[in-house]
PDB file of all heavy atoms in Angstrom:
ATOM      1  N   LEU N  94       5.292 -28.532 -52.557  1.00  0.00           N
ATOM      2  CA  LEU N  94       5.748 -27.665 -51.472  1.00  0.00           C
ATOM      3  C   LEU N  94       6.818 -28.334 -50.630  1.00  0.00           C
ATOM      4  O   LEU N  94       7.781 -27.694 -50.203  1.00  0.00           O
ATOM      5  CB  LEU N  94       4.560 -27.265 -50.584  1.00  0.00           C
ATOM      6  CG  LEU N  94       3.636 -26.225 -51.220  1.00  0.00           C
ATOM      7  CD1 LEU N  94       2.413 -26.005 -50.353  1.00  0.00           C
ATOM      8  CD2 LEU N  94       4.377 -24.907 -51.428  1.00  0.00           C
ATOM      9  N   LEU N  95       6.661 -29.645 -50.430  1.00  0.00           N
ATOM     10  CA  LEU N  95       7.661 -30.392 -49.670  1.00  0.00           C
ATOM     11  C   LEU N  95       9.018 -30.334 -50.368  1.00  0.00           C
ATOM     12  O   LEU N  95      10.053 -30.144 -49.722  1.00  0.00           O
ATOM     13  CB  LEU N  95       7.244 -31.857 -49.530  1.00  0.00           C
ATOM     14  CG  LEU N  95       6.631 -32.236 -48.184  1.00  0.00           C
ATOM     15  CD1 LEU N  95       6.173 -33.682 -48.195  1.00  0.00           C
ATOM     16  CD2 LEU N  95       7.626 -32.004 -47.061  1.00  0.00           C
ATOM     17  N   ALA N  96       8.977 -30.490 -51.709  1.00  0.00           N
ATOM     18  CA  ALA N  96      10.210 -30.444 -52.494  1.00  0.00           C
ATOM     19  C   ALA N  96      10.867 -29.079 -52.350  1.00  0.00           C
ATOM     20  O   ALA N  96      12.088 -28.974 -52.153  1.00  0.00           O
ATOM     21  CB  ALA N  96       9.922 -30.746 -53.962  1.00  0.00           C
ATOM     22  N   ILE N  97      10.043 -28.010 -52.410  1.00  0.00           N
ATOM     23  CA  ILE N  97      10.595 -26.657 -52.249  1.00  0.00           C
ATOM     24  C   ILE N  97      11.225 -26.507 -50.879  1.00  0.00           C
ATOM     25  O   ILE N  97      12.357 -26.048 -50.731  1.00  0.00           O
ATOM     26  CB  ILE N  97       9.482 -25.592 -52.430  1.00  0.00           C
ATOM     27  CG1 ILE N  97       9.016 -25.574 -53.889  1.00  0.00           C
ATOM     28  CG2 ILE N  97       9.980 -24.217 -52.029  1.00  0.00           C
ATOM     29  CD1 ILE N  97       7.888 -24.604 -54.144  1.00  0.00           C
ATOM     30  N   LEU N  98      10.511 -26.959 -49.866  1.00  0.00           N
ATOM     31  CA  LEU N  98      10.979 -26.836 -48.489  1.00  0.00           C
ATOM     32  C   LEU N  98      12.324 -27.533 -48.320  1.00  0.00           C
ATOM     33  O   LEU N  98      13.267 -26.988 -47.742  1.00  0.00           O
ATOM     34  CB  LEU N  98       9.946 -27.445 -47.545  1.00  0.00           C
ATOM     35  CG  LEU N  98      10.221 -27.252 -46.063  1.00  0.00           C
ATOM     36  CD1 LEU N  98      10.073 -25.792 -45.690  1.00  0.00           C
ATOM     37  CD2 LEU N  98       9.271 -28.085 -45.219  1.00  0.00           C
ATOM     38  N   LEU N  99      12.394 -28.762 -48.876  1.00  0.00           N
ATOM     39  CA  LEU N  99      13.609 -29.556 -48.762  1.00  0.00           C
ATOM     40  C   LEU N  99      14.785 -28.861 -49.443  1.00  0.00           C
ATOM     41  O   LEU N  99      15.885 -28.789 -48.901  1.00  0.00           O
ATOM     42  CB  LEU N  99      13.366 -30.934 -49.383  1.00  0.00           C
ATOM     43  CG  LEU N  99      14.188 -32.067 -48.797  1.00  0.00           C
ATOM     44  CD1 LEU N  99      13.786 -32.296 -47.354  1.00  0.00           C
ATOM     45  CD2 LEU N  99      13.996 -33.332 -49.607  1.00  0.00           C
ATOM     46  N   SER N 100      14.513 -28.314 -50.647  1.00  0.00           N
ATOM     47  CA  SER N 100      15.621 -27.673 -51.367  1.00  0.00           C
ATOM     48  C   SER N 100      16.062 -26.401 -50.652  1.00  0.00           C
ATOM     49  O   SER N 100      17.244 -26.087 -50.620  1.00  0.00           O
ATOM     50  CB  SER N 100      15.246 -27.395 -52.825  1.00  0.00           C
ATOM     51  OG  SER N 100      14.062 -26.670 -52.865  1.00  0.00           O
ATOM     52  N   ILE N 101      15.093 -25.696 -50.047  1.00  0.00           N
ATOM     53  CA  ILE N 101      15.468 -24.499 -49.280  1.00  0.00           C
ATOM     54  C   ILE N 101      16.367 -24.892 -48.107  1.00  0.00           C
ATOM     55  O   ILE N 101      17.393 -24.265 -47.852  1.00  0.00           O
ATOM     56  CB  ILE N 101      14.212 -23.752 -48.768  1.00  0.00           C
ATOM     57  CG1 ILE N 101      13.498 -23.080 -49.937  1.00  0.00           C
ATOM     58  CG2 ILE N 101      14.585 -22.707 -47.726  1.00  0.00           C
ATOM     59  CD1 ILE N 101      12.153 -22.487 -49.581  1.00  0.00           C
ATOM     60  N   LEU N 102      15.974 -25.987 -47.438  1.00  0.00           N
ATOM     61  CA  LEU N 102      16.757 -26.424 -46.282  1.00  0.00           C
ATOM     62  C   LEU N 102      18.182 -26.817 -46.678  1.00  0.00           C
ATOM     63  O   LEU N 102      19.142 -26.442 -46.015  1.00  0.00           O
ATOM     64  CB  LEU N 102      16.068 -27.619 -45.602  1.00  0.00           C
ATOM     65  CG  LEU N 102      14.908 -27.262 -44.684  1.00  0.00           C
ATOM     66  CD1 LEU N 102      14.210 -28.517 -44.184  1.00  0.00           C
ATOM     67  CD2 LEU N 102      15.384 -26.433 -43.503  1.00  0.00           C
ATOM     68  N   ILE N 103      18.292 -27.574 -47.788  1.00  0.00           N
ATOM     69  CA  ILE N 103      19.620 -28.014 -48.226  1.00  0.00           C
ATOM     70  C   ILE N 103      20.457 -26.821 -48.653  1.00  0.00           C
ATOM     71  O   ILE N 103      21.627 -26.683 -48.304  1.00  0.00           O
ATOM     72  CB  ILE N 103      19.497 -29.055 -49.362  1.00  0.00           C
ATOM     73  CG1 ILE N 103      18.910 -30.342 -48.777  1.00  0.00           C
ATOM     74  CG2 ILE N 103      20.852 -29.328 -50.009  1.00  0.00           C
ATOM     75  CD1 ILE N 103      18.526 -31.370 -49.814  1.00  0.00           C
ATOM     76  N   ASN N 104      19.803 -25.895 -49.390  1.00  0.00           N
ATOM     77  CA  ASN N 104      20.480 -24.686 -49.835  1.00  0.00           C
ATOM     78  C   ASN N 104      20.984 -23.884 -48.640  1.00  0.00           C
ATOM     79  O   ASN N 104      22.126 -23.432 -48.599  1.00  0.00           O
ATOM     80  CB  ASN N 104      19.498 -23.859 -50.680  1.00  0.00           C
ATOM     81  CG  ASN N 104      20.160 -22.606 -51.220  1.00  0.00           C
ATOM     82  OD1 ASN N 104      21.280 -22.664 -51.688  1.00  0.00           O
ATOM     83  ND2 ASN N 104      19.470 -21.482 -51.121  1.00  0.00           N
ATOM     84  N   ASN N 105      20.090 -23.771 -47.644  1.00  0.00           N
ATOM     85  CA  ASN N 105      20.404 -23.068 -46.413  1.00  0.00           C
ATOM     86  C   ASN N 105      21.629 -23.654 -45.738  1.00  0.00           C
ATOM     87  O   ASN N 105      22.551 -22.948 -45.334  1.00  0.00           O
ATOM     88  CB  ASN N 105      19.216 -23.238 -45.469  1.00  0.00           C
ATOM     89  CG  ASN N 105      18.892 -21.946 -44.778  1.00  0.00           C
ATOM     90  OD1 ASN N 105      19.685 -21.030 -44.811  1.00  0.00           O
ATOM     91  ND2 ASN N 105      17.746 -21.887 -44.162  1.00  0.00           N
ATOM     92  N   LEU N 106      21.624 -24.997 -45.664  1.00  0.00           N
ATOM     93  CA  LEU N 106      22.728 -25.712 -45.023  1.00  0.00           C
ATOM     94  C   LEU N 106      24.042 -25.418 -45.734  1.00  0.00           C
ATOM     95  O   LEU N 106      25.045 -25.082 -45.103  1.00  0.00           O
ATOM     96  CB  LEU N 106      22.450 -27.219 -45.024  1.00  0.00           C
ATOM     97  CG  LEU N 106      23.497 -28.085 -44.352  1.00  0.00           C
ATOM     98  CD1 LEU N 106      23.424 -27.902 -42.853  1.00  0.00           C
ATOM     99  CD2 LEU N 106      23.303 -29.559 -44.695  1.00  0.00           C
ATOM    100  N   SER N 107      24.006 -25.504 -47.078  1.00  0.00           N
ATOM    101  CA  SER N 107      25.278 -25.334 -47.791  1.00  0.00           C
ATOM    102  C   SER N 107      25.762 -23.892 -47.714  1.00  0.00           C
ATOM    103  O   SER N 107      26.956 -23.643 -47.581  1.00  0.00           O
ATOM    104  CB  SER N 107      25.150 -25.808 -49.244  1.00  0.00           C
ATOM    105  OG  SER N 107      24.262 -24.983 -49.927  1.00  0.00           O
ATOM    106  N   ILE N 108      24.802 -22.927 -47.745  1.00  0.00           N
ATOM    107  CA  ILE N 108      25.223 -21.518 -47.602  1.00  0.00           C
ATOM    108  C   ILE N 108      25.847 -21.292 -46.228  1.00  0.00           C
ATOM    109  O   ILE N 108      26.933 -20.730 -46.108  1.00  0.00           O
ATOM    110  CB  ILE N 108      24.017 -20.569 -47.793  1.00  0.00           C
ATOM    111  CG1 ILE N 108      23.578 -20.559 -49.257  1.00  0.00           C
ATOM    112  CG2 ILE N 108      24.374 -19.149 -47.356  1.00  0.00           C
ATOM    113  CD1 ILE N 108      22.329 -19.752 -49.510  1.00  0.00           C
ATOM    114  N   ASN N 109      25.160 -21.815 -45.203  1.00  0.00           N
ATOM    115  CA  ASN N 109      25.677 -21.597 -43.851  1.00  0.00           C
ATOM    116  C   ASN N 109      26.998 -22.306 -43.618  1.00  0.00           C
ATOM    117  O   ASN N 109      27.858 -21.808 -42.903  1.00  0.00           O
ATOM    118  CB  ASN N 109      24.648 -22.051 -42.816  1.00  0.00           C
ATOM    119  CG  ASN N 109      23.547 -21.019 -42.658  1.00  0.00           C
ATOM    120  OD1 ASN N 109      23.806 -19.834 -42.781  1.00  0.00           O
ATOM    121  ND2 ASN N 109      22.336 -21.467 -42.434  1.00  0.00           N
TER     122      ASN N 109
END
Side-chain angles (χ1 to χ4, degrees):
Chain N
L94 286 174
L95 259 176
I97 292 177
L98 187 68
L99 209 66
S100 54
I101 289 172
L102 280 174
I103 291 171
N104 182 44
N105 223 346
L106 182 72
S107 66
I108 289 175
N109 282 327

